[in-house]
PDB file of all heavy atoms in Angstrom:
ATOM      1  N   LYS A   1      18.541   1.361  16.776  1.00 94.00           N
ATOM      2  CA  LYS A   1      18.554  -0.080  16.959  1.00 94.00           C
ATOM      3  C   LYS A   1      18.270  -0.757  15.612  1.00 94.00           C
ATOM      4  O   LYS A   1      17.286  -0.438  14.947  1.00 94.00           O
ATOM      5  CB  LYS A   1      17.524  -0.510  17.997  1.00 94.00           C
ATOM      6  CG  LYS A   1      17.846  -0.037  19.415  1.00 94.00           C
ATOM      7  CD  LYS A   1      16.838  -0.581  20.413  1.00 94.00           C
ATOM      8  CE  LYS A   1      17.197  -0.163  21.841  1.00 94.00           C
ATOM      9  NZ  LYS A   1      16.211  -0.684  22.832  1.00 94.00           N
ATOM     10  N   LEU A   2      19.134  -1.712  15.251  1.00 95.00           N
ATOM     11  CA  LEU A   2      18.979  -2.363  13.967  1.00 95.00           C
ATOM     12  C   LEU A   2      17.672  -3.143  13.865  1.00 95.00           C
ATOM     13  O   LEU A   2      17.078  -3.261  12.787  1.00 95.00           O
ATOM     14  CB  LEU A   2      20.164  -3.295  13.695  1.00 95.00           C
ATOM     15  CG  LEU A   2      21.444  -2.610  13.232  1.00 95.00           C
ATOM     16  CD1 LEU A   2      22.565  -3.642  13.078  1.00 95.00           C
ATOM     17  CD2 LEU A   2      21.215  -1.899  11.903  1.00 95.00           C
ATOM     18  N   GLY A   3      17.209  -3.684  14.980  1.00 93.00           N
ATOM     19  CA  GLY A   3      15.936  -4.382  14.967  1.00 93.00           C
ATOM     20  C   GLY A   3      14.799  -3.462  14.575  1.00 93.00           C
ATOM     21  O   GLY A   3      13.908  -3.839  13.799  1.00 93.00           O
ATOM     22  N   ASP A   4      14.826  -2.230  15.088  1.00 95.00           N
ATOM     23  CA  ASP A   4      13.803  -1.248  14.733  1.00 95.00           C
ATOM     24  C   ASP A   4      13.949  -0.825  13.276  1.00 95.00           C
ATOM     25  O   ASP A   4      12.965  -0.672  12.555  1.00 95.00           O
ATOM     26  CB  ASP A   4      13.910  -0.019  15.638  1.00 95.00           C
ATOM     27  CG  ASP A   4      13.544  -0.319  17.083  1.00 95.00           C
ATOM     28  OD1 ASP A   4      12.760  -1.268  17.310  1.00 95.00           O
ATOM     29  OD2 ASP A   4      14.038   0.388  17.979  1.00 95.00           O
ATOM     30  N   SER A   5      15.186  -0.631  12.827  1.00 96.00           N
ATOM     31  CA  SER A   5      15.432  -0.237  11.442  1.00 96.00           C
ATOM     32  C   SER A   5      14.902  -1.294  10.483  1.00 96.00           C
ATOM     33  O   SER A   5      14.274  -0.981   9.462  1.00 96.00           O
ATOM     34  CB  SER A   5      16.936  -0.039  11.213  1.00 96.00           C
ATOM     35  OG  SER A   5      17.205   0.263   9.858  1.00 96.00           O
ATOM     36  N   THR A   6      15.134  -2.562  10.820  1.00 96.00           N
ATOM     37  CA  THR A   6      14.666  -3.666   9.985  1.00 96.00           C
ATOM     38  C   THR A   6      13.144  -3.677   9.898  1.00 96.00           C
ATOM     39  O   THR A   6      12.560  -3.773   8.814  1.00 96.00           O
ATOM     40  CB  THR A   6      15.163  -5.000  10.569  1.00 96.00           C
ATOM     41  OG1 THR A   6      16.586  -4.955  10.684  1.00 96.00           O
ATOM     42  CG2 THR A   6      14.758  -6.168   9.686  1.00 96.00           C
ATOM     43  N   ARG A   7      12.507  -3.583  11.046  1.00 96.00           N
ATOM     44  CA  ARG A   7      11.046  -3.629  11.093  1.00 96.00           C
ATOM     45  C   ARG A   7      10.433  -2.456  10.343  1.00 96.00           C
ATOM     46  O   ARG A   7       9.466  -2.623   9.577  1.00 96.00           O
ATOM     47  CB  ARG A   7      10.591  -3.619  12.558  1.00 96.00           C
ATOM     48  CG  ARG A   7       9.092  -3.514  12.756  1.00 96.00           C
ATOM     49  CD  ARG A   7       8.755  -3.532  14.243  1.00 96.00           C
ATOM     50  NE  ARG A   7       9.547  -2.561  15.004  1.00 96.00           N
ATOM     51  CZ  ARG A   7       9.263  -1.263  15.069  1.00 96.00           C
ATOM     52  NH1 ARG A   7       8.225  -0.761  14.404  1.00 96.00           N
ATOM     53  NH2 ARG A   7      10.022  -0.456  15.782  1.00 96.00           N
ATOM     54  N   VAL A   8      10.994  -1.264  10.520  1.00 96.00           N
ATOM     55  CA  VAL A   8      10.425  -0.059   9.904  1.00 96.00           C
ATOM     56  C   VAL A   8      10.589  -0.084   8.393  1.00 96.00           C
ATOM     57  O   VAL A   8       9.671   0.310   7.653  1.00 96.00           O
ATOM     58  CB  VAL A   8      11.060   1.200  10.516  1.00 96.00           C
ATOM     59  CG1 VAL A   8      10.701   2.440   9.711  1.00 96.00           C
ATOM     60  CG2 VAL A   8      10.600   1.359  11.960  1.00 96.00           C
ATOM     61  N   VAL A   9      11.743  -0.528   7.890  1.00 97.00           N
ATOM     62  CA  VAL A   9      11.914  -0.552   6.435  1.00 97.00           C
ATOM     63  C   VAL A   9      10.960  -1.570   5.806  1.00 97.00           C
ATOM     64  O   VAL A   9      10.393  -1.329   4.734  1.00 97.00           O
ATOM     65  CB  VAL A   9      13.381  -0.832   6.038  1.00 97.00           C
ATOM     66  CG1 VAL A   9      13.751  -2.307   6.192  1.00 97.00           C
ATOM     67  CG2 VAL A   9      13.635  -0.392   4.601  1.00 97.00           C
ATOM     68  N   ASN A  10      10.741  -2.690   6.482  1.00 97.00           N
ATOM     69  CA  ASN A  10       9.790  -3.673   5.964  1.00 97.00           C
ATOM     70  C   ASN A  10       8.371  -3.108   5.961  1.00 97.00           C
ATOM     71  O   ASN A  10       7.618  -3.277   4.983  1.00 97.00           O
ATOM     72  CB  ASN A  10       9.844  -4.948   6.796  1.00 97.00           C
ATOM     73  CG  ASN A  10       8.920  -6.024   6.260  1.00 97.00           C
ATOM     74  OD1 ASN A  10       9.134  -6.562   5.190  1.00 97.00           O
ATOM     75  ND2 ASN A  10       7.868  -6.328   7.008  1.00 97.00           N
ATOM     76  N   GLN A  11       8.005  -2.423   7.024  1.00 96.00           N
ATOM     77  CA  GLN A  11       6.679  -1.809   7.080  1.00 96.00           C
ATOM     78  C   GLN A  11       6.510  -0.765   5.981  1.00 96.00           C
ATOM     79  O   GLN A  11       5.451  -0.661   5.361  1.00 96.00           O
ATOM     80  CB  GLN A  11       6.454  -1.176   8.454  1.00 96.00           C
ATOM     81  CG  GLN A  11       6.261  -2.188   9.576  1.00 96.00           C
ATOM     82  CD  GLN A  11       6.126  -1.520  10.940  1.00 96.00           C
ATOM     83  OE1 GLN A  11       6.447  -0.329  11.104  1.00 96.00           O
ATOM     84  NE2 GLN A  11       5.679  -2.278  11.926  1.00 96.00           N
ATOM     85  N   GLY A  12       7.581  -0.005   5.742  1.00 96.00           N
ATOM     86  CA  GLY A  12       7.518   1.017   4.696  1.00 96.00           C
ATOM     87  C   GLY A  12       7.291   0.405   3.327  1.00 96.00           C
ATOM     88  O   GLY A  12       6.479   0.906   2.533  1.00 96.00           O
ATOM     89  N   TRP A  13       7.995  -0.687   3.053  1.00 97.00           N
ATOM     90  CA  TRP A  13       7.803  -1.347   1.761  1.00 97.00           C
ATOM     91  C   TRP A  13       6.397  -1.924   1.629  1.00 97.00           C
ATOM     92  O   TRP A  13       5.783  -1.828   0.569  1.00 97.00           O
ATOM     93  CB  TRP A  13       8.842  -2.459   1.593  1.00 97.00           C
ATOM     94  CG  TRP A  13      10.235  -1.944   1.336  1.00 97.00           C
ATOM     95  CD1 TRP A  13      10.581  -0.684   0.914  1.00 97.00           C
ATOM     96  CD2 TRP A  13      11.459  -2.663   1.490  1.00 97.00           C
ATOM     97  NE1 TRP A  13      11.943  -0.579   0.787  1.00 97.00           N
ATOM     98  CE2 TRP A  13      12.513  -1.782   1.131  1.00 97.00           C
ATOM     99  CE3 TRP A  13      11.783  -3.952   1.891  1.00 97.00           C
ATOM    100  CZ2 TRP A  13      13.852  -2.161   1.162  1.00 97.00           C
ATOM    101  CZ3 TRP A  13      13.110  -4.343   1.920  1.00 97.00           C
ATOM    102  CH2 TRP A  13      14.145  -3.456   1.557  1.00 97.00           C
ATOM    103  N   MET A  14       5.879  -2.485   2.711  1.00 97.00           N
ATOM    104  CA  MET A  14       4.583  -3.148   2.634  1.00 97.00           C
ATOM    105  C   MET A  14       3.408  -2.177   2.701  1.00 97.00           C
ATOM    106  O   MET A  14       2.256  -2.571   2.503  1.00 97.00           O
ATOM    107  CB  MET A  14       4.467  -4.202   3.742  1.00 97.00           C
ATOM    108  CG  MET A  14       5.456  -5.354   3.585  1.00 97.00           C
ATOM    109  SD  MET A  14       5.435  -6.113   1.924  1.00 97.00           S
ATOM    110  CE  MET A  14       3.782  -6.783   1.905  1.00 97.00           C
ATOM    111  N   THR A  15       3.670  -0.916   2.987  1.00 96.00           N
ATOM    112  CA  THR A  15       2.597   0.094   2.902  1.00 96.00           C
ATOM    113  C   THR A  15       2.681   0.880   1.598  1.00 96.00           C
ATOM    114  O   THR A  15       1.900   1.808   1.390  1.00 96.00           O
ATOM    115  CB  THR A  15       2.668   1.069   4.098  1.00 96.00           C
ATOM    116  OG1 THR A  15       3.975   1.653   4.173  1.00 96.00           O
ATOM    117  CG2 THR A  15       2.370   0.350   5.406  1.00 96.00           C
ATOM    118  N   SER A  16       3.597   0.497   0.738  1.00 96.00           N
ATOM    119  CA  SER A  16       3.734   1.101  -0.582  1.00 96.00           C
ATOM    120  C   SER A  16       3.271   0.088  -1.624  1.00 96.00           C
ATOM    121  O   SER A  16       3.806  -1.028  -1.702  1.00 96.00           O
ATOM    122  CB  SER A  16       5.187   1.490  -0.848  1.00 96.00           C
ATOM    123  OG  SER A  16       5.442   1.645  -2.227  1.00 96.00           O
ATOM    124  N   ALA A  17       2.283   0.450  -2.416  1.00 96.00           N
ATOM    125  CA  ALA A  17       1.753  -0.480  -3.420  1.00 96.00           C
ATOM    126  C   ALA A  17       2.833  -0.909  -4.399  1.00 96.00           C
ATOM    127  O   ALA A  17       2.896  -2.080  -4.806  1.00 96.00           O
ATOM    128  CB  ALA A  17       0.587   0.178  -4.155  1.00 96.00           C
ATOM    129  N   GLU A  18       3.696   0.013  -4.780  1.00 96.00           N
ATOM    130  CA  GLU A  18       4.746  -0.301  -5.748  1.00 96.00           C
ATOM    131  C   GLU A  18       5.738  -1.310  -5.185  1.00 96.00           C
ATOM    132  O   GLU A  18       6.119  -2.279  -5.851  1.00 96.00           O
ATOM    133  CB  GLU A  18       5.471   0.974  -6.163  1.00 96.00           C
ATOM    134  CG  GLU A  18       6.580   0.757  -7.176  1.00 96.00           C
ATOM    135  CD  GLU A  18       7.304   2.039  -7.541  1.00 96.00           C
ATOM    136  OE1 GLU A  18       6.969   3.103  -6.970  1.00 96.00           O
ATOM    137  OE2 GLU A  18       8.206   1.983  -8.384  1.00 96.00           O
ATOM    138  N   HIS A  19       6.159  -1.091  -3.942  1.00 97.00           N
ATOM    139  CA  HIS A  19       7.121  -1.997  -3.325  1.00 97.00           C
ATOM    140  C   HIS A  19       6.486  -3.352  -3.009  1.00 97.00           C
ATOM    141  O   HIS A  19       7.113  -4.399  -3.197  1.00 97.00           O
ATOM    142  CB  HIS A  19       7.693  -1.377  -2.059  1.00 97.00           C
ATOM    143  CG  HIS A  19       8.559  -0.182  -2.308  1.00 97.00           C
ATOM    144  ND1 HIS A  19       8.057   1.085  -2.414  1.00 97.00           N
ATOM    145  CD2 HIS A  19       9.905  -0.068  -2.479  1.00 97.00           C
ATOM    146  CE1 HIS A  19       9.045   1.949  -2.638  1.00 97.00           C
ATOM    147  NE2 HIS A  19      10.173   1.267  -2.696  1.00 97.00           N
ATOM    148  N   THR A  20       5.251  -3.323  -2.533  1.00 97.00           N
ATOM    149  CA  THR A  20       4.561  -4.571  -2.226  1.00 97.00           C
ATOM    150  C   THR A  20       4.395  -5.421  -3.476  1.00 97.00           C
ATOM    151  O   THR A  20       4.522  -6.657  -3.438  1.00 97.00           O
ATOM    152  CB  THR A  20       3.188  -4.284  -1.598  1.00 97.00           C
ATOM    153  OG1 THR A  20       3.370  -3.549  -0.383  1.00 97.00           O
ATOM    154  CG2 THR A  20       2.448  -5.577  -1.286  1.00 97.00           C
ATOM    155  N   ALA A  21       4.135  -4.782  -4.615  1.00 97.00           N
ATOM    156  CA  ALA A  21       3.970  -5.517  -5.869  1.00 97.00           C
ATOM    157  C   ALA A  21       5.250  -6.253  -6.242  1.00 97.00           C
ATOM    158  O   ALA A  21       5.204  -7.366  -6.790  1.00 97.00           O
ATOM    159  CB  ALA A  21       3.565  -4.557  -6.980  1.00 97.00           C
ATOM    160  N   ILE A  22       6.394  -5.658  -5.956  1.00 98.00           N
ATOM    161  CA  ILE A  22       7.670  -6.313  -6.245  1.00 98.00           C
ATOM    162  C   ILE A  22       7.892  -7.480  -5.284  1.00 98.00           C
ATOM    163  O   ILE A  22       8.224  -8.594  -5.696  1.00 98.00           O
ATOM    164  CB  ILE A  22       8.832  -5.303  -6.147  1.00 98.00           C
ATOM    165  CG1 ILE A  22       8.716  -4.249  -7.248  1.00 98.00           C
ATOM    166  CG2 ILE A  22      10.183  -6.021  -6.224  1.00 98.00           C
ATOM    167  CD1 ILE A  22       9.730  -3.140  -7.151  1.00 98.00           C
ATOM    168  N   ILE A  23       7.685  -7.235  -3.997  1.00 98.00           N
ATOM    169  CA  ILE A  23       7.931  -8.261  -2.981  1.00 98.00           C
ATOM    170  C   ILE A  23       7.019  -9.473  -3.185  1.00 98.00           C
ATOM    171  O   ILE A  23       7.429 -10.618  -3.007  1.00 98.00           O
ATOM    172  CB  ILE A  23       7.756  -7.667  -1.575  1.00 98.00           C
ATOM    173  CG1 ILE A  23       8.898  -6.665  -1.296  1.00 98.00           C
ATOM    174  CG2 ILE A  23       7.719  -8.752  -0.504  1.00 98.00           C
ATOM    175  CD1 ILE A  23       8.715  -5.853  -0.040  1.00 98.00           C
ATOM    176  N   ARG A  24       5.779  -9.215  -3.580  1.00 98.00           N
ATOM    177  CA  ARG A  24       4.805 -10.302  -3.737  1.00 98.00           C
ATOM    178  C   ARG A  24       4.595 -10.705  -5.205  1.00 98.00           C
ATOM    179  O   ARG A  24       3.620 -11.372  -5.541  1.00 98.00           O
ATOM    180  CB  ARG A  24       3.474  -9.898  -3.103  1.00 98.00           C
ATOM    181  CG  ARG A  24       3.539  -9.896  -1.572  1.00 98.00           C
ATOM    182  CD  ARG A  24       2.229  -9.510  -0.954  1.00 98.00           C
ATOM    183  NE  ARG A  24       2.240  -9.753   0.500  1.00 98.00           N
ATOM    184  CZ  ARG A  24       1.324  -9.303   1.343  1.00 98.00           C
ATOM    185  NH1 ARG A  24       0.295  -8.571   0.898  1.00 98.00           N
ATOM    186  NH2 ARG A  24       1.405  -9.580   2.633  1.00 98.00           N
ATOM    187  N   SER A  25       5.524 -10.359  -6.038  1.00 97.00           N
ATOM    188  CA  SER A  25       5.412 -10.741  -7.444  1.00 97.00           C
ATOM    189  C   SER A  25       5.613 -12.244  -7.607  1.00 97.00           C
ATOM    190  O   SER A  25       6.422 -12.864  -6.908  1.00 97.00           O
ATOM    191  CB  SER A  25       6.456  -9.992  -8.279  1.00 97.00           C
ATOM    192  OG  SER A  25       6.477 -10.480  -9.600  1.00 97.00           O
ATOM    193  N   THR A  26       4.889 -12.833  -8.547  1.00 97.00           N
ATOM    194  CA  THR A  26       5.082 -14.245  -8.877  1.00 97.00           C
ATOM    195  C   THR A  26       6.163 -14.436  -9.940  1.00 97.00           C
ATOM    196  O   THR A  26       6.429 -15.561 -10.354  1.00 97.00           O
ATOM    197  CB  THR A  26       3.760 -14.857  -9.381  1.00 97.00           C
ATOM    198  OG1 THR A  26       3.327 -14.130 -10.544  1.00 97.00           O
ATOM    199  CG2 THR A  26       2.685 -14.789  -8.304  1.00 97.00           C
ATOM    200  N   ALA A  27       6.771 -13.342 -10.378  1.00 96.00           N
ATOM    201  CA  ALA A  27       7.766 -13.425 -11.452  1.00 96.00           C
ATOM    202  C   ALA A  27       9.127 -13.883 -10.946  1.00 96.00           C
ATOM    203  O   ALA A  27       9.911 -14.446 -11.710  1.00 96.00           O
ATOM    204  CB  ALA A  27       7.910 -12.066 -12.139  1.00 96.00           C
ATOM    205  N   TYR A  28       9.440 -13.639  -9.670  1.00 98.00           N
ATOM    206  CA  TYR A  28      10.807 -13.823  -9.189  1.00 98.00           C
ATOM    207  C   TYR A  28      10.995 -15.172  -8.499  1.00 98.00           C
ATOM    208  O   TYR A  28      10.055 -15.761  -7.959  1.00 98.00           O
ATOM    209  CB  TYR A  28      11.174 -12.693  -8.233  1.00 98.00           C
ATOM    210  CG  TYR A  28      11.010 -11.321  -8.852  1.00 98.00           C
ATOM    211  CD1 TYR A  28      10.158 -10.366  -8.280  1.00 98.00           C
ATOM    212  CD2 TYR A  28      11.676 -10.978 -10.025  1.00 98.00           C
ATOM    213  CE1 TYR A  28       9.995  -9.111  -8.854  1.00 98.00           C
ATOM    214  CE2 TYR A  28      11.517  -9.733 -10.604  1.00 98.00           C
ATOM    215  CZ  TYR A  28      10.671  -8.808 -10.016  1.00 98.00           C
ATOM    216  OH  TYR A  28      10.509  -7.574 -10.595  1.00 98.00           O
ATOM    217  N   ASN A  29      12.239 -15.642  -8.485  1.00 98.00           N
ATOM    218  CA  ASN A  29      12.565 -16.875  -7.762  1.00 98.00           C
ATOM    219  C   ASN A  29      13.767 -16.731  -6.826  1.00 98.00           C
ATOM    220  O   ASN A  29      13.962 -17.565  -5.947  1.00 98.00           O
ATOM    221  CB  ASN A  29      12.775 -18.048  -8.720  1.00 98.00           C
ATOM    222  CG  ASN A  29      13.731 -17.735  -9.870  1.00 98.00           C
ATOM    223  OD1 ASN A  29      14.381 -16.692  -9.892  1.00 98.00           O
ATOM    224  ND2 ASN A  29      13.814 -18.644 -10.840  1.00 98.00           N
ATOM    225  N   TYR A  30      14.586 -15.687  -7.012  1.00 98.00           N
ATOM    226  CA  TYR A  30      15.737 -15.443  -6.139  1.00 98.00           C
ATOM    227  C   TYR A  30      15.731 -13.992  -5.664  1.00 98.00           C
ATOM    228  O   TYR A  30      15.157 -13.115  -6.323  1.00 98.00           O
ATOM    229  CB  TYR A  30      17.053 -15.711  -6.882  1.00 98.00           C
ATOM    230  CG  TYR A  30      17.306 -17.164  -7.183  1.00 98.00           C
ATOM    231  CD1 TYR A  30      17.053 -17.696  -8.445  1.00 98.00           C
ATOM    232  CD2 TYR A  30      17.812 -18.006  -6.210  1.00 98.00           C
ATOM    233  CE1 TYR A  30      17.283 -19.032  -8.724  1.00 98.00           C
ATOM    234  CE2 TYR A  30      18.053 -19.349  -6.480  1.00 98.00           C
ATOM    235  CZ  TYR A  30      17.785 -19.853  -7.730  1.00 98.00           C
ATOM    236  OH  TYR A  30      18.011 -21.179  -8.006  1.00 98.00           O
ATOM    237  N   PHE A  31      16.381 -13.760  -4.519  1.00 98.00           N
ATOM    238  CA  PHE A  31      16.560 -12.385  -4.067  1.00 98.00           C
ATOM    239  C   PHE A  31      17.819 -12.266  -3.226  1.00 98.00           C
ATOM    240  O   PHE A  31      18.413 -13.268  -2.804  1.00 98.00           O
ATOM    241  CB  PHE A  31      15.322 -11.867  -3.329  1.00 98.00           C
ATOM    242  CG  PHE A  31      15.111 -12.374  -1.915  1.00 98.00           C
ATOM    243  CD1 PHE A  31      14.684 -11.504  -0.922  1.00 98.00           C
ATOM    244  CD2 PHE A  31      15.275 -13.702  -1.573  1.00 98.00           C
ATOM    245  CE1 PHE A  31      14.451 -11.950   0.376  1.00 98.00           C
ATOM    246  CE2 PHE A  31      15.042 -14.161  -0.288  1.00 98.00           C
ATOM    247  CZ  PHE A  31      14.625 -13.268   0.700  1.00 98.00           C
ATOM    248  N   GLY A  32      18.247 -11.018  -3.045  1.00 98.00           N
ATOM    249  CA  GLY A  32      19.405 -10.722  -2.220  1.00 98.00           C
ATOM    250  C   GLY A  32      19.155  -9.462  -1.427  1.00 98.00           C
ATOM    251  O   GLY A  32      18.313  -8.631  -1.807  1.00 98.00           O
ATOM    252  N   LEU A  33      19.871  -9.296  -0.325  1.00 97.00           N
ATOM    253  CA  LEU A  33      19.619  -8.176   0.580  1.00 97.00           C
ATOM    254  C   LEU A  33      20.932  -7.596   1.081  1.00 97.00           C
ATOM    255  O   LEU A  33      21.882  -8.338   1.353  1.00 97.00           O
ATOM    256  CB  LEU A  33      18.782  -8.664   1.770  1.00 97.00           C
ATOM    257  CG  LEU A  33      18.089  -7.605   2.606  1.00 97.00           C
ATOM    258  CD1 LEU A  33      16.904  -7.029   1.846  1.00 97.00           C
ATOM    259  CD2 LEU A  33      17.613  -8.193   3.911  1.00 97.00           C
ATOM    260  N   GLY A  34      20.985  -6.264   1.191  1.00 97.00           N
ATOM    261  CA  GLY A  34      22.188  -5.614   1.702  1.00 97.00           C
ATOM    262  C   GLY A  34      21.873  -4.376   2.508  1.00 97.00           C
ATOM    263  O   GLY A  34      20.948  -3.626   2.173  1.00 97.00           O
ATOM    264  N   LEU A  35      22.634  -4.160   3.566  1.00 97.00           N
ATOM    265  CA  LEU A  35      22.490  -2.997   4.441  1.00 97.00           C
ATOM    266  C   LEU A  35      23.777  -2.192   4.423  1.00 97.00           C
ATOM    267  O   LEU A  35      24.877  -2.741   4.560  1.00 97.00           O
ATOM    268  CB  LEU A  35      22.187  -3.455   5.876  1.00 97.00           C
ATOM    269  CG  LEU A  35      22.272  -2.406   6.982  1.00 97.00           C
ATOM    270  CD1 LEU A  35      21.239  -1.296   6.779  1.00 97.00           C
ATOM    271  CD2 LEU A  35      22.093  -3.064   8.357  1.00 97.00           C
ATOM    272  N   GLY A  36      23.642  -0.887   4.246  1.00 96.00           N
ATOM    273  CA  GLY A  36      24.780   0.020   4.340  1.00 96.00           C
ATOM    274  C   GLY A  36      24.548   1.018   5.461  1.00 96.00           C
ATOM    275  O   GLY A  36      23.446   1.560   5.589  1.00 96.00           O
ATOM    276  N   ILE A  37      25.556   1.260   6.284  1.00 96.00           N
ATOM    277  CA  ILE A  37      25.418   2.136   7.455  1.00 96.00           C
ATOM    278  C   ILE A  37      26.476   3.232   7.397  1.00 96.00           C
ATOM    279  O   ILE A  37      27.668   2.947   7.212  1.00 96.00           O
ATOM    280  CB  ILE A  37      25.561   1.339   8.765  1.00 96.00           C
ATOM    281  CG1 ILE A  37      24.541   0.189   8.812  1.00 96.00           C
ATOM    282  CG2 ILE A  37      25.381   2.259   9.975  1.00 96.00           C
ATOM    283  CD1 ILE A  37      24.707  -0.709  10.025  1.00 96.00           C
ATOM    284  N   THR A  38      26.055   4.462   7.547  1.00 95.00           N
ATOM    285  CA  THR A  38      26.999   5.577   7.537  1.00 95.00           C
ATOM    286  C   THR A  38      27.620   5.764   8.921  1.00 95.00           C
ATOM    287  O   THR A  38      27.154   5.190   9.916  1.00 95.00           O
ATOM    288  CB  THR A  38      26.308   6.875   7.125  1.00 95.00           C
ATOM    289  OG1 THR A  38      25.399   7.273   8.165  1.00 95.00           O
ATOM    290  CG2 THR A  38      25.551   6.710   5.819  1.00 95.00           C
ATOM    291  N   ALA A  39      28.647   6.592   8.984  1.00 93.00           N
ATOM    292  CA  ALA A  39      29.312   6.870  10.260  1.00 93.00           C
ATOM    293  C   ALA A  39      28.368   7.553  11.241  1.00 93.00           C
ATOM    294  O   ALA A  39      28.546   7.448  12.463  1.00 93.00           O
ATOM    295  CB  ALA A  39      30.543   7.740  10.018  1.00 93.00           C
ATOM    296  N   THR A  40      27.357   8.232  10.738  1.00 93.00           N
ATOM    297  CA  THR A  40      26.402   8.925  11.603  1.00 93.00           C
ATOM    298  C   THR A  40      25.162   8.083  11.908  1.00 93.00           C
ATOM    299  O   THR A  40      24.242   8.563  12.569  1.00 93.00           O
ATOM    300  CB  THR A  40      25.962  10.259  10.960  1.00 93.00           C
ATOM    301  OG1 THR A  40      25.431   9.992   9.655  1.00 93.00           O
ATOM    302  CG2 THR A  40      27.152  11.205  10.841  1.00 93.00           C
ATOM    303  N   GLY A  41      25.139   6.860  11.429  1.00 93.00           N
ATOM    304  CA  GLY A  41      24.057   5.951  11.806  1.00 93.00           C
ATOM    305  C   GLY A  41      22.898   5.860  10.844  1.00 93.00           C
ATOM    306  O   GLY A  41      21.881   5.231  11.166  1.00 93.00           O
TER     307      GLY A  41
END
């Protein structure tokens, strides 16, 4: 389920200090997002 995939990837980033530092950085002003899905899901 894409809803679960979305929630889990966000949780994964926010439980990683390195990823959280990027997401909560004061340096950035723009962002973009993309999802790629394989034939096997």
